[in-house]
Amino acid sequence: MRKVFIIGIGAGNPDYVTMQAIKAMNEVDVFFFLDKGREKDDLVNLRRTICERFIKEPSYRVVEVESPERDAGAEYKSGVHAWHREKAQIFGALIANELADNECGAFLVWGDPSLYDSTLRVIEHVLAEGLVEFDYVVIPGITSFQALAARHRITVNAIGEPVNITTGRKLSEGLPDGEASTVVMLDNGSALRSLVNQDIDIYWGAYLGTPDEILISGKLSERIDEIERIRAQERARKGWIMDTYLLRRAPRA
Ligand SMILES: C[S@@+](CC[C@H](N)C(=O)[O-])C[C@H]1O[C@@H](n2cnc3c(N)ncnc32)[C@H](O)[C@@H]1O
């Protein structure tokens, strides 16, 4: 039976790779690298570095394919479903054609595979559609918001309070009531302005765990101009940006 590892590699620093991930990587015959867009080269390079650094006997193969882009013009959820189906065809073909029956393949997932990543859904599609038979194992990784919290030296939740993890798209609809902390990922930079009149602390991080890492924290109203300026500047310099942030509403008196 073919075996596929879905390995969380952490969100940027090769030192985030866990011992469990290293153990799994050393069993792998074929790594599948799927990336897209302008960040592609940097992200593929990090995966290569991780393989080179942690695999003892480099007899593995790497198969690199361009990941399809989501149709940004389509209605969001139906667009995402269509995109997953398209990726399932690609994953199915990779597993069927690039792995022999007793071989082991792996997808190296940025951060942790459970959070805002399509790999597990796509794998389920491949199996549900009977494209190829295989067993799969998921290895957790350090997610970007854990890296963010560690670098700012903060807890993610306020004492005894919940945590909301959301996207920039959803944040535009407002923060939940109460003192909850909100972690925001996948923001195109447009969501924060709508909150600027509220008493909120922000802990912002870009390119966490990498040599380009930038950290900013303080009152949102006092930091927003700097965050927007640096975001635009870095996006222009590197061609892409990955940022994530935690918002915490000041406790009511
Ligand atoms: C497609 S999601 C993948 C999340 C990933 N599975 C994780 O566990 O962090 C990509 C988003 O994660 C966040 N992100 C991932 N890596 C990051 C990093 N090194 N620095 C800052 N944000 C990061 C950004 O919000 C980015 O838009």
Side-chain angles (χ1 to χ4, degrees):
M1 175 81 107
R2 293 171 176 86
K3 181 171 173 184
V4 174
F5 281 114
I6 318 295
I7 304 176
I9 55 169
N13 187 336
D15 287 350
Y16 291 160
V17 174
T18 65
M19 294 304 292
Q20 190 187 20
I22 293 172
K23 226 164 135 185
M25 284 166 56
N26 276 281
E27 276 186 46
V28 171
D29 299 294
V30 185
F31 288 93
F32 302 120
F33 288 180
L34 285 103
D35 278 300
K36 58 176 190 294
R38 305 182 69 171
E39 67 264 46
K40 180 175 170 256
D41 290 346
D42 290 338
L43 302 191
V44 167
N45 284 341
L46 181 81
R47 288 178 170 85
R48 282 193 192 285
T49 305
I50 284 174
C51 289
E52 283 160 17
R53 186 186 299 182
F54 295 118
I55 296 176
K56 282 195 212 108
E57 288 174 27
S59 55
Y60 60 87
R61 310 190 294 282
V62 172
V63 177
E64 209 177 307
V65 288
E66 188 82 15
S67 181
E69 298 264 6
R70 182 171 62 80
D71 176 2
E75 186 275 322
Y76 182 66
K77 285 223 163 134
S78 61
V80 169
H81 286 306
W83 181 48
H84 287 173
R85 281 195 298 277
E86 196 183 343
K87 283 177 104 171
Q89 295 301 320
I90 297 172
F91 279 35
L94 286 172
I95 295 166
N97 301 334
E98 301 289 345
L99 286 185
D101 198 31
N102 58 347
E103 280 192 320
C104 177
F107 294 90
L108 300 184
V109 174
W110 192 262
D112 183 76
S114 69
L115 204 60
Y116 295 116
D117 186 274
S118 61
T119 310
L120 291 179
R121 287 197 181 89
V122 173
I123 289 285
E124 281 162 20
H125 258 293
V126 176
L127 286 170
E129 292 190 14
L131 298 175
V132 52
E133 266 191 37
F134 60 95
D135 189 15
Y136 72 105
V137 175
V138 180
I139 311 278
I142 294 180
T143 180
S144 49
F145 81 72
Q146 290 174 290
L148 177 82
R151 295 297 291 131
H152 280 288
R153 303 185 294 182
I154 54 168
T155 57
V156 174
N157 62 294
I159 297 172
E161 293 295 333
V163 176
N164 176 38
I165 303 174
T166 191
T167 62
R169 176 189 301 268
K170 284 279 177 192
L171 187 67
S172 332
E173 294 165 17
L175 280 177
D177 287 343
E179 202 190 313
S181 304
T182 298
V183 172
V184 185
M185 300 165 101
L186 290 165
D187 183 7
N188 65 8
S190 59
L192 272 177
R193 270 283 154 197
S194 60
L195 303 171
V196 79
N197 293 326
Q198 300 184 37
D199 189 6
I200 291 171
D201 290 327
I202 184 166
Y203 300 88
W204 182 83
Y207 312 114
L208 290 157
T210 77
D212 293 315
E213 180 179 273
I214 307 166
L215 302 171
I216 297 176
S217 62
K219 289 271 168 228
L220 175 63
S221 55
E222 293 165 11
R223 291 284 179 247
I224 188 155
D225 290 342
E226 185 186 2
I227 290 172
E228 286 183 347
R229 180 177 53 73
I230 289 179
R231 229 184 160 276
Q233 177 188 304
E234 290 302 308
R235 178 175 265 261
R237 183 178 71 85
K238 276 180 76 78
W240 60 280
I241 187 156
M242 259 192 183
D243 62 336
T244 193
Y245 49 89
L246 179 111
L247 299 173
R248 186 127 61 214
R249 200 177 261 142
R252 294 206 181 95

